[in-house]
Amino acid sequence: RNVSPWRRRKWRCWRLRELGIARVWGQLSLAGRETMAGSNYSGSSSDEHVKVTSQRKQGFLERLGETTGGMLVGLMAFLLSFYLLFTNEGRCVTTQNTLDEGLSLVTSLNDVFTPLPQNDGKLVHLSGSLMTPQPLFDPNYGISLHVVKLQRRVEMYQWVEYDDSRDYEENGEKKTETRYSYNTEWKPEVVKSKSFDREIGHKNPSSMAVESFIAVAADVNVGNFHLSKGLIDKINTFKKIRLAKFESPHADIVIQDDYFYHSVNHRNPEVGDLRVSFHFAGLSGEWSFLGRPDVVTIVARQKENQLIPYQTQSGNILQLLYEESLSAVEVFEKEHAANSMLTWALRFAGWLLMFVSIKLMTKIFHTLVDWIPGIRDLVSLGLTVFGLCVATSLTLLTVAMGWIFYRPLVALLLGILAAVPILIARSRHRPKML
């Protein structure tokens, strides 16, 4: 109460200065915490960093030279698209003729245990259970099964790098910001950490102590018919083996979730740890804990008690196998469906290759005006529409040329369709009559 006004003003100034310092310190502390959180300093998210690279923006002449090189690549791709489309139609026709010929000649066998001499050299159809006289085994893990194929899949716990990039321009330079992140995962192949942007702290072993492999039975039968190597190669539907009935081959190996773990703690693995699983294709023999033997349907040539490829007059060979019981008609229907799907897939690939090649060859027109914002967008749209129309017309025309000797009516129809985009374009530019 007896404090003088001068001392009271001095105390107030000191108090305000103290509050100001505390407020600034609090703001700095909050900013520091936000920076640490944004940089992912805590936990597993610390394996992340950002790199920014820059390059000088290309000049007009440089862009023009790059476009010229793209034109040459586009020309080669353009020619390749014609070859792909034309040969695809020939392949489709030959395959159809082969399948039609096979269906007209095939003989279905009711008894797979008695090869009849009168069927030697003929195309035969049969269904039956797989049989393998000798089991396939892996002595290192105590696996022994009567199957056509036994696969050992080995995975190693490794560092994996992921990157996410974005491009932007700043101060006349083209810059790329890449965010790298690292995670540990089970991978079936060795991930080369030397190619990482930051290998320190993310180093992987250069090889696996245990390797993957596939064992294939040399002798596979259906009844008393012996399958050729080509037929055995078609048995590829793998199923995972449940390891509940197997024991660990070593004290350091743990069985968990149908894996053999080479790890001190399989629930918290370290980089370099391994896990091994087994898969089979073509279960054969008698009834086992894996189930009944698999049934297959085969269309091939009979040579005594062997099933070998059948050479057709159309030029292709027939050697078909399906891992299910099918009639002869159903087998050839599936083959026709597969042929049709492949044909359309290659047609689309040929059309896409032609469209991309046209875009590359016409990109020079866009480069000439890319410094004018409004005109640039219009030219880009026009070139895209032009590429779509030309690629579609030329694709239809090429397909028609492939069918002209086999189905002239279909070829004529496709030729008319190929001219539709051109006729539409010409009709829009036709001068009006007064």
Side-chain angles (χ1 to χ4, degrees), residues 37-66:
S39 301
N40 295 319
Y41 273 41
S42 61
S44 60
S45 59
S46 60
D47 295 315
E48 183 177 314
H49 68 277
V50 177
K51 175 185 285 188
V52 178
T53 57
S54 60
Q55 60 180 2
R56 184 178 58 85
K57 191 174 181 180
Q58 290 182 327
F60 176 75
L61 294 180
E62 292 175 322
R63 297 198 306 275
L64 195 62
E66 184 178 302

PDB file of all heavy atoms in Angstrom, residues 37-66:
ATOM      1  N   ALA A  37       6.630 -34.312 -34.732  1.00  0.00           N
ATOM      2  CA  ALA A  37       5.536 -35.190 -35.170  1.00  0.00           C
ATOM      3  C   ALA A  37       5.483 -35.263 -36.685  1.00  0.00           C
ATOM      4  O   ALA A  37       5.253 -36.320 -37.268  1.00  0.00           O
ATOM      5  CB  ALA A  37       4.199 -34.686 -34.612  1.00  0.00           C
ATOM      6  N   GLY A  38       5.694 -34.133 -37.368  1.00  0.00           N
ATOM      7  CA  GLY A  38       5.664 -34.131 -38.821  1.00  0.00           C
ATOM      8  C   GLY A  38       6.820 -34.895 -39.434  1.00  0.00           C
ATOM      9  O   GLY A  38       6.718 -35.449 -40.510  1.00  0.00           O
ATOM     10  N   SER A  39       7.960 -34.956 -38.715  1.00  0.00           N
ATOM     11  CA  SER A  39       9.115 -35.683 -39.227  1.00  0.00           C
ATOM     12  C   SER A  39       9.097 -37.145 -38.852  1.00  0.00           C
ATOM     13  O   SER A  39      10.016 -37.881 -39.172  1.00  0.00           O
ATOM     14  CB  SER A  39      10.405 -35.035 -38.678  1.00  0.00           C
ATOM     15  OG  SER A  39      10.487 -33.680 -39.070  1.00  0.00           O
ATOM     16  N   ASN A  40       8.046 -37.572 -38.117  1.00  0.00           N
ATOM     17  CA  ASN A  40       7.898 -38.979 -37.740  1.00  0.00           C
ATOM     18  C   ASN A  40       9.114 -39.465 -36.951  1.00  0.00           C
ATOM     19  O   ASN A  40       9.785 -40.418 -37.312  1.00  0.00           O
ATOM     20  CB  ASN A  40       7.686 -39.868 -38.966  1.00  0.00           C
ATOM     21  CG  ASN A  40       6.385 -39.560 -39.646  1.00  0.00           C
ATOM     22  OD1 ASN A  40       5.379 -39.346 -38.988  1.00  0.00           O
ATOM     23  ND2 ASN A  40       6.410 -39.546 -40.961  1.00  0.00           N
ATOM     24  N   TYR A  41       9.429 -38.813 -35.869  1.00  0.00           N
ATOM     25  CA  TYR A  41      10.579 -39.176 -35.064  1.00  0.00           C
ATOM     26  C   TYR A  41      10.310 -40.358 -34.144  1.00  0.00           C
ATOM     27  O   TYR A  41      11.224 -40.992 -33.662  1.00  0.00           O
ATOM     28  CB  TYR A  41      11.009 -37.981 -34.197  1.00  0.00           C
ATOM     29  CG  TYR A  41      11.957 -37.047 -34.905  1.00  0.00           C
ATOM     30  CD1 TYR A  41      11.746 -36.727 -36.241  1.00  0.00           C
ATOM     31  CD2 TYR A  41      13.043 -36.506 -34.249  1.00  0.00           C
ATOM     32  CE1 TYR A  41      12.614 -35.865 -36.896  1.00  0.00           C
ATOM     33  CE2 TYR A  41      13.911 -35.650 -34.898  1.00  0.00           C
ATOM     34  CZ  TYR A  41      13.684 -35.335 -36.213  1.00  0.00           C
ATOM     35  OH  TYR A  41      14.533 -34.498 -36.867  1.00  0.00           O
ATOM     36  N   SER A  42       9.046 -40.644 -33.879  1.00  0.00           N
ATOM     37  CA  SER A  42       8.726 -41.656 -32.881  1.00  0.00           C
ATOM     38  C   SER A  42       8.245 -42.932 -33.539  1.00  0.00           C
ATOM     39  O   SER A  42       7.641 -42.915 -34.594  1.00  0.00           O
ATOM     40  CB  SER A  42       7.647 -41.134 -31.932  1.00  0.00           C
ATOM     41  OG  SER A  42       6.480 -40.858 -32.657  1.00  0.00           O
ATOM     42  N   GLY A  43       8.515 -44.081 -32.865  1.00  0.00           N
ATOM     43  CA  GLY A  43       7.955 -45.366 -33.291  1.00  0.00           C
ATOM     44  C   GLY A  43       8.534 -45.838 -34.607  1.00  0.00           C
ATOM     45  O   GLY A  43       9.596 -45.421 -35.068  1.00  0.00           O
ATOM     46  N   SER A  44       7.788 -46.755 -35.246  1.00  0.00           N
ATOM     47  CA  SER A  44       8.239 -47.378 -36.484  1.00  0.00           C
ATOM     48  C   SER A  44       8.177 -46.433 -37.670  1.00  0.00           C
ATOM     49  O   SER A  44       8.754 -46.697 -38.696  1.00  0.00           O
ATOM     50  CB  SER A  44       7.387 -48.616 -36.788  1.00  0.00           C
ATOM     51  OG  SER A  44       6.029 -48.242 -36.927  1.00  0.00           O
ATOM     52  N   SER A  45       7.459 -45.316 -37.536  1.00  0.00           N
ATOM     53  CA  SER A  45       7.322 -44.387 -38.647  1.00  0.00           C
ATOM     54  C   SER A  45       8.562 -43.532 -38.857  1.00  0.00           C
ATOM     55  O   SER A  45       8.569 -42.667 -39.696  1.00  0.00           O
ATOM     56  CB  SER A  45       6.099 -43.480 -38.425  1.00  0.00           C
ATOM     57  OG  SER A  45       6.237 -42.765 -37.218  1.00  0.00           O
ATOM     58  N   SER A  46       9.638 -43.772 -38.061  1.00  0.00           N
ATOM     59  CA  SER A  46      10.862 -43.000 -38.225  1.00  0.00           C
ATOM     60  C   SER A  46      11.588 -43.365 -39.512  1.00  0.00           C
ATOM     61  O   SER A  46      12.452 -42.643 -39.967  1.00  0.00           O
ATOM     62  CB  SER A  46      11.789 -43.226 -37.022  1.00  0.00           C
ATOM     63  OG  SER A  46      12.116 -44.604 -36.921  1.00  0.00           O
ATOM     64  N   ASP A  47      11.269 -44.537 -40.151  1.00  0.00           N
ATOM     65  CA  ASP A  47      11.931 -44.973 -41.371  1.00  0.00           C
ATOM     66  C   ASP A  47      11.290 -44.302 -42.572  1.00  0.00           C
ATOM     67  O   ASP A  47      10.657 -44.947 -43.396  1.00  0.00           O
ATOM     68  CB  ASP A  47      11.862 -46.501 -41.486  1.00  0.00           C
ATOM     69  CG  ASP A  47      12.636 -47.183 -40.384  1.00  0.00           C
ATOM     70  OD1 ASP A  47      13.764 -46.745 -40.111  1.00  0.00           O
ATOM     71  OD2 ASP A  47      12.101 -48.121 -39.788  1.00  0.00           O
ATOM     72  N   GLU A  48      11.452 -42.998 -42.648  1.00  0.00           N
ATOM     73  CA  GLU A  48      10.870 -42.235 -43.744  1.00  0.00           C
ATOM     74  C   GLU A  48      11.669 -40.968 -43.929  1.00  0.00           C
ATOM     75  O   GLU A  48      12.083 -40.328 -42.961  1.00  0.00           O
ATOM     76  CB  GLU A  48       9.407 -41.916 -43.437  1.00  0.00           C
ATOM     77  CG  GLU A  48       8.691 -41.170 -44.553  1.00  0.00           C
ATOM     78  CD  GLU A  48       7.228 -40.942 -44.234  1.00  0.00           C
ATOM     79  OE1 GLU A  48       6.554 -41.892 -43.792  1.00  0.00           O
ATOM     80  OE2 GLU A  48       6.763 -39.800 -44.422  1.00  0.00           O
ATOM     81  N   HIS A  49      11.941 -40.624 -45.177  1.00  0.00           N
ATOM     82  CA  HIS A  49      12.631 -39.378 -45.453  1.00  0.00           C
ATOM     83  C   HIS A  49      12.211 -38.868 -46.823  1.00  0.00           C
ATOM     84  O   HIS A  49      11.654 -39.612 -47.628  1.00  0.00           O
ATOM     85  CB  HIS A  49      14.154 -39.550 -45.379  1.00  0.00           C
ATOM     86  CG  HIS A  49      14.720 -40.401 -46.472  1.00  0.00           C
ATOM     87  ND1 HIS A  49      14.741 -41.772 -46.408  1.00  0.00           N
ATOM     88  CD2 HIS A  49      15.292 -40.077 -47.677  1.00  0.00           C
ATOM     89  CE1 HIS A  49      15.298 -42.260 -47.495  1.00  0.00           C
ATOM     90  NE2 HIS A  49      15.629 -41.266 -48.290  1.00  0.00           N
ATOM     91  N   VAL A  50      12.494 -37.600 -47.076  1.00  0.00           N
ATOM     92  CA  VAL A  50      12.085 -36.936 -48.309  1.00  0.00           C
ATOM     93  C   VAL A  50      13.322 -36.420 -49.026  1.00  0.00           C
ATOM     94  O   VAL A  50      14.238 -35.866 -48.399  1.00  0.00           O
ATOM     95  CB  VAL A  50      11.100 -35.778 -48.026  1.00  0.00           C
ATOM     96  CG1 VAL A  50      10.752 -35.054 -49.324  1.00  0.00           C
ATOM     97  CG2 VAL A  50       9.849 -36.297 -47.351  1.00  0.00           C
ATOM     98  N   LYS A  51      13.353 -36.622 -50.350  1.00  0.00           N
ATOM     99  CA  LYS A  51      14.456 -36.110 -51.168  1.00  0.00           C
ATOM    100  C   LYS A  51      13.861 -35.295 -52.315  1.00  0.00           C
ATOM    101  O   LYS A  51      12.890 -35.721 -52.949  1.00  0.00           O
ATOM    102  CB  LYS A  51      15.296 -37.258 -51.718  1.00  0.00           C
ATOM    103  CG  LYS A  51      16.392 -36.798 -52.680  1.00  0.00           C
ATOM    104  CD  LYS A  51      17.129 -37.969 -53.291  1.00  0.00           C
ATOM    105  CE  LYS A  51      18.069 -38.590 -52.298  1.00  0.00           C
ATOM    106  NZ  LYS A  51      18.933 -39.623 -52.924  1.00  0.00           N
ATOM    107  N   VAL A  52      14.450 -34.135 -52.564  1.00  0.00           N
ATOM    108  CA  VAL A  52      14.006 -33.263 -53.645  1.00  0.00           C
ATOM    109  C   VAL A  52      15.132 -33.130 -54.654  1.00  0.00           C
ATOM    110  O   VAL A  52      16.262 -32.761 -54.299  1.00  0.00           O
ATOM    111  CB  VAL A  52      13.590 -31.875 -53.122  1.00  0.00           C
ATOM    112  CG1 VAL A  52      13.186 -30.969 -54.277  1.00  0.00           C
ATOM    113  CG2 VAL A  52      12.451 -31.998 -52.122  1.00  0.00           C
ATOM    114  N   THR A  53      14.840 -33.466 -55.891  1.00  0.00           N
ATOM    115  CA  THR A  53      15.810 -33.317 -56.981  1.00  0.00           C
ATOM    116  C   THR A  53      15.267 -32.304 -57.983  1.00  0.00           C
ATOM    117  O   THR A  53      14.052 -32.173 -58.156  1.00  0.00           O
ATOM    118  CB  THR A  53      16.057 -34.655 -57.696  1.00  0.00           C
ATOM    119  OG1 THR A  53      14.812 -35.180 -58.182  1.00  0.00           O
ATOM    120  CG2 THR A  53      16.667 -35.674 -56.733  1.00  0.00           C
ATOM    121  N   SER A  54      16.147 -31.595 -58.625  1.00  0.00           N
ATOM    122  CA  SER A  54      15.732 -30.554 -59.573  1.00  0.00           C
ATOM    123  C   SER A  54      16.531 -30.685 -60.857  1.00  0.00           C
ATOM    124  O   SER A  54      17.657 -31.196 -60.874  1.00  0.00           O
ATOM    125  CB  SER A  54      15.940 -29.162 -58.970  1.00  0.00           C
ATOM    126  OG  SER A  54      17.309 -28.953 -58.649  1.00  0.00           O
ATOM    127  N   GLN A  55      15.922 -30.256 -61.934  1.00  0.00           N
ATOM    128  CA  GLN A  55      16.590 -30.213 -63.223  1.00  0.00           C
ATOM    129  C   GLN A  55      16.115 -29.003 -63.994  1.00  0.00           C
ATOM    130  O   GLN A  55      14.993 -28.530 -63.812  1.00  0.00           O
ATOM    131  CB  GLN A  55      16.315 -31.487 -64.021  1.00  0.00           C
ATOM    132  CG  GLN A  55      14.852 -31.741 -64.325  1.00  0.00           C
ATOM    133  CD  GLN A  55      14.640 -33.015 -65.112  1.00  0.00           C
ATOM    134  OE1 GLN A  55      15.585 -33.725 -65.402  1.00  0.00           O
ATOM    135  NE2 GLN A  55      13.403 -33.300 -65.465  1.00  0.00           N
ATOM    136  N   ARG A  56      16.983 -28.492 -64.841  1.00  0.00           N
ATOM    137  CA  ARG A  56      16.661 -27.301 -65.609  1.00  0.00           C
ATOM    138  C   ARG A  56      15.534 -27.580 -66.583  1.00  0.00           C
ATOM    139  O   ARG A  56      15.464 -28.647 -67.194  1.00  0.00           O
ATOM    140  CB  ARG A  56      17.908 -26.830 -66.372  1.00  0.00           C
ATOM    141  CG  ARG A  56      17.705 -25.528 -67.142  1.00  0.00           C
ATOM    142  CD  ARG A  56      19.004 -25.138 -67.825  1.00  0.00           C
ATOM    143  NE  ARG A  56      19.459 -26.194 -68.713  1.00  0.00           N
ATOM    144  CZ  ARG A  56      19.032 -26.331 -69.976  1.00  0.00           C
ATOM    145  NH1 ARG A  56      18.123 -25.494 -70.469  1.00  0.00           N
ATOM    146  NH2 ARG A  56      19.505 -27.305 -70.723  1.00  0.00           N
ATOM    147  N   LYS A  57      14.618 -26.644 -66.712  1.00  0.00           N
ATOM    148  CA  LYS A  57      13.503 -26.785 -67.624  1.00  0.00           C
ATOM    149  C   LYS A  57      14.013 -26.793 -69.056  1.00  0.00           C
ATOM    150  O   LYS A  57      14.816 -25.952 -69.456  1.00  0.00           O
ATOM    151  CB  LYS A  57      12.512 -25.640 -67.431  1.00  0.00           C
ATOM    152  CG  LYS A  57      11.194 -25.846 -68.161  1.00  0.00           C
ATOM    153  CD  LYS A  57      10.208 -24.761 -67.804  1.00  0.00           C
ATOM    154  CE  LYS A  57       8.876 -24.981 -68.503  1.00  0.00           C
ATOM    155  NZ  LYS A  57       7.904 -23.907 -68.157  1.00  0.00           N
ATOM    156  N   GLN A  58      13.546 -27.758 -69.850  1.00  0.00           N
ATOM    157  CA  GLN A  58      14.020 -27.891 -71.219  1.00  0.00           C
ATOM    158  C   GLN A  58      13.575 -26.719 -72.085  1.00  0.00           C
ATOM    159  O   GLN A  58      12.466 -26.201 -71.936  1.00  0.00           O
ATOM    160  CB  GLN A  58      13.486 -29.192 -71.836  1.00  0.00           C
ATOM    161  CG  GLN A  58      14.100 -30.452 -71.255  1.00  0.00           C
ATOM    162  CD  GLN A  58      13.569 -31.694 -71.939  1.00  0.00           C
ATOM    163  OE1 GLN A  58      12.417 -31.745 -72.354  1.00  0.00           O
ATOM    164  NE2 GLN A  58      14.408 -32.706 -72.067  1.00  0.00           N
ATOM    165  N   GLY A  59      14.467 -26.349 -72.994  1.00  0.00           N
ATOM    166  CA  GLY A  59      14.135 -25.315 -73.955  1.00  0.00           C
ATOM    167  C   GLY A  59      13.333 -25.874 -75.123  1.00  0.00           C
ATOM    168  O   GLY A  59      13.113 -27.081 -75.244  1.00  0.00           O
ATOM    169  N   PHE A  60      12.921 -24.954 -76.015  1.00  0.00           N
ATOM    170  CA  PHE A  60      12.076 -25.368 -77.141  1.00  0.00           C
ATOM    171  C   PHE A  60      12.801 -26.337 -78.060  1.00  0.00           C
ATOM    172  O   PHE A  60      12.252 -27.360 -78.468  1.00  0.00           O
ATOM    173  CB  PHE A  60      11.626 -24.124 -77.913  1.00  0.00           C
ATOM    174  CG  PHE A  60      10.838 -24.444 -79.146  1.00  0.00           C
ATOM    175  CD1 PHE A  60       9.523 -24.876 -79.057  1.00  0.00           C
ATOM    176  CD2 PHE A  60      11.428 -24.350 -80.407  1.00  0.00           C
ATOM    177  CE1 PHE A  60       8.802 -25.185 -80.198  1.00  0.00           C
ATOM    178  CE2 PHE A  60      10.712 -24.647 -81.547  1.00  0.00           C
ATOM    179  CZ  PHE A  60       9.396 -25.074 -81.436  1.00  0.00           C
ATOM    180  N   LEU A  61      14.059 -26.043 -78.390  1.00  0.00           N
ATOM    181  CA  LEU A  61      14.808 -26.918 -79.291  1.00  0.00           C
ATOM    182  C   LEU A  61      15.058 -28.282 -78.659  1.00  0.00           C
ATOM    183  O   LEU A  61      15.048 -29.310 -79.354  1.00  0.00           O
ATOM    184  CB  LEU A  61      16.135 -26.254 -79.678  1.00  0.00           C
ATOM    185  CG  LEU A  61      16.022 -24.970 -80.524  1.00  0.00           C
ATOM    186  CD1 LEU A  61      17.400 -24.412 -80.827  1.00  0.00           C
ATOM    187  CD2 LEU A  61      15.266 -25.258 -81.826  1.00  0.00           C
ATOM    188  N   GLU A  62      15.285 -28.320 -77.357  1.00  0.00           N
ATOM    189  CA  GLU A  62      15.487 -29.602 -76.675  1.00  0.00           C
ATOM    190  C   GLU A  62      14.218 -30.442 -76.709  1.00  0.00           C
ATOM    191  O   GLU A  62      14.248 -31.657 -76.947  1.00  0.00           O
ATOM    192  CB  GLU A  62      15.930 -29.367 -75.231  1.00  0.00           C
ATOM    193  CG  GLU A  62      17.321 -28.775 -75.114  1.00  0.00           C
ATOM    194  CD  GLU A  62      17.676 -28.448 -73.675  1.00  0.00           C
ATOM    195  OE1 GLU A  62      16.782 -27.997 -72.931  1.00  0.00           O
ATOM    196  OE2 GLU A  62      18.829 -28.657 -73.292  1.00  0.00           O
ATOM    197  N   ARG A  63      13.077 -29.795 -76.457  1.00  0.00           N
ATOM    198  CA  ARG A  63      11.810 -30.517 -76.507  1.00  0.00           C
ATOM    199  C   ARG A  63      11.519 -31.005 -77.919  1.00  0.00           C
ATOM    200  O   ARG A  63      10.981 -32.097 -78.123  1.00  0.00           O
ATOM    201  CB  ARG A  63      10.663 -29.625 -76.018  1.00  0.00           C
ATOM    202  CG  ARG A  63      10.794 -29.196 -74.566  1.00  0.00           C
ATOM    203  CD  ARG A  63       9.467 -28.694 -74.007  1.00  0.00           C
ATOM    204  NE  ARG A  63       8.875 -27.648 -74.817  1.00  0.00           N
ATOM    205  CZ  ARG A  63       9.165 -26.367 -74.719  1.00  0.00           C
ATOM    206  NH1 ARG A  63      10.073 -25.953 -73.838  1.00  0.00           N
ATOM    207  NH2 ARG A  63       8.556 -25.472 -75.487  1.00  0.00           N
ATOM    208  N   LEU A  64      11.882 -30.192 -78.916  1.00  0.00           N
ATOM    209  CA  LEU A  64      11.655 -30.582 -80.308  1.00  0.00           C
ATOM    210  C   LEU A  64      12.522 -31.786 -80.680  1.00  0.00           C
ATOM    211  O   LEU A  64      12.071 -32.710 -81.371  1.00  0.00           O
ATOM    212  CB  LEU A  64      11.959 -29.399 -81.223  1.00  0.00           C
ATOM    213  CG  LEU A  64      11.448 -29.496 -82.673  1.00  0.00           C
ATOM    214  CD1 LEU A  64       9.924 -29.581 -82.680  1.00  0.00           C
ATOM    215  CD2 LEU A  64      11.921 -28.297 -83.480  1.00  0.00           C
ATOM    216  N   GLY A  65      13.771 -31.810 -80.214  1.00  0.00           N
ATOM    217  CA  GLY A  65      14.639 -32.950 -80.489  1.00  0.00           C
ATOM    218  C   GLY A  65      14.148 -34.214 -79.811  1.00  0.00           C
ATOM    219  O   GLY A  65      14.205 -35.304 -80.393  1.00  0.00           O
ATOM    220  N   GLU A  66      13.649 -34.079 -78.592  1.00  0.00           N
ATOM    221  CA  GLU A  66      13.104 -35.234 -77.885  1.00  0.00           C
ATOM    222  C   GLU A  66      11.866 -35.775 -78.595  1.00  0.00           C
ATOM    223  O   GLU A  66      11.653 -36.989 -78.682  1.00  0.00           O
ATOM    224  CB  GLU A  66      12.770 -34.833 -76.450  1.00  0.00           C
ATOM    225  CG  GLU A  66      12.295 -35.974 -75.581  1.00  0.00           C
ATOM    226  CD  GLU A  66      12.033 -35.521 -74.159  1.00  0.00           C
ATOM    227  OE1 GLU A  66      12.960 -34.998 -73.527  1.00  0.00           O
ATOM    228  OE2 GLU A  66      10.892 -35.684 -73.688  1.00  0.00           O
TER     229      GLU A  66
END
